Amino acid sequence: MTAIASSEYPTAATRPAYSLLNSQKLSHTFGITLPHWQKTLELVLTSHCSIP
C-alpha cells in the first residue's frame, strides 16, 4: 500500500477540502445533542479494547 491524499483518489462526487458535521438541526428539531467525538472515541476504546 502507498499512502495518498484524499484529493488524489478518484471519486464521482466533489468533496470539500474541509467540512464539519453541523448537528444544530438535529438538536433544535429533536432535542438530541451529539457528544464530542473525542469522548465517543474514548468510550469505544475503553469498551472494545484491552488497555492495560
Side-chain angles (χ1 to χ4, degrees):
M1 279 195 218
T2 303
I4 63 168
S6 59
S7 61
E8 297 177 83
Y9 188 79
T11 60
T14 303
R15 306 282 185 226
Y18 181 75
S19 65
L20 299 173
L21 174 65
N22 183 343
S23 61
Q24 286 181 340
K25 189 172 183 178
L26 181 69
S27 180
H28 291 306
T29 305
F30 299 105
I32 298 170
T33 304
L34 297 177
H36 193 272
W37 70 268
Q38 290 174 321
K39 183 63 180 168
T40 304
L41 177 61
E42 179 185 336
L43 292 170
V44 168
L45 291 176
T46 55
S47 66
H48 295 310
C49 298
S50 177
I51 301 173

